[in-house]
Amino acid sequence: MKTHSTNYFNTFIETAPDTKVVKGTVPPPKGNKTIAERQYELIASAPYQYTSDDIIFQVYAERKDLMPDEYPAARTVFFSRGQACLRASPLAKNYGYGIHSNSEGKVALYGMETDEYQKFVKDDNTKKVQAMKSSK
């Protein structure tokens, strides 16, 4: 079974060009946890601890109420099909966060107002990609 990955390496996902915010904003609670809330909690609480694949699968597993012992088999099936990468994350599209993937593919968030965000944008040794636009 072919495995698809969403991981980037030495790459910075810049905020979407049509984002309406001017700084990194914590996704507000809305009853049931949104994808944005779940992604934010995972990445912000443990910068450079998880890969994009880890984040995307964990959010999927939580939303499907999977038990931890179901994770290995479910992850294999989940990544047997292509999945949207963090360029489609609401954090980069709507909440003003750039997402940096280091040389190991581990990710961290940087608000667009921060010096670190600007450093990644200007760094010629880091590949840059933009988050997907929120609207067409």
Side-chain angles (χ1 to χ4, degrees):
M1 188 179 302
K2 182 170 172 41
T3 300
H4 298 269
S5 177
T6 66
N7 292 338
Y8 284 101
F9 301 90
N10 293 319
T11 302
F12 188 66
I13 300 172
E14 298 178 40
T15 56
D18 63 345
T19 190
K20 293 176 177 43
V21 298
V22 295
K23 65 179 189 147
T25 306
V26 177
K30 296 182 179 180
N32 288 336
K33 278 190 186 176
T34 63
I35 290 172
E37 286 178 273
R38 292 172 194 266
Q39 288 179 346
Y40 179 83
E41 287 174 0
L42 287 166
I43 302 170
S45 68
Y48 297 115
Q49 295 297 308
Y50 302 108
T51 65
S52 172
D53 284 355
D54 296 337
I55 299 297
I56 289 167
F57 177 75
Q58 184 63 40
V59 169
Y60 166 82
E62 288 175 9
R63 294 185 74 193
K64 296 292 183 186
D65 292 323
L66 298 179
M67 300 304 295
D69 63 330
E70 298 175 288
Y71 285 13
R75 187 172 170 129
T76 299
V77 171
F78 183 74
F79 285 112
S80 69
R81 298 181 320 275
Q83 301 295 330
C85 68
L86 289 177
R87 287 185 57 225
S89 169
L91 298 176
K93 290 171 62 173
N94 305 320
Y95 291 100
Y97 289 101
I99 304 169
H100 179 248
S101 297
N102 68 14
S103 62
E104 298 173 4
K106 308 280 178 99
V107 298
L109 297 174
Y110 294 93
M112 61 193 293
E113 78 285 2
T114 65
D115 291 339
E116 292 90 346
Y117 182 100
Q118 295 306 319
K119 189 174 80 174
F120 284 120
V121 169
K122 294 174 182 154
D123 183 0
D124 292 334
N125 296 316
T126 302
K127 180 181 176 186
K128 267 78 74 191
V129 293
Q130 284 191 326
M132 295 177 181
K133 290 183 179 180
S134 296
S135 56
K136 295 191 180 209

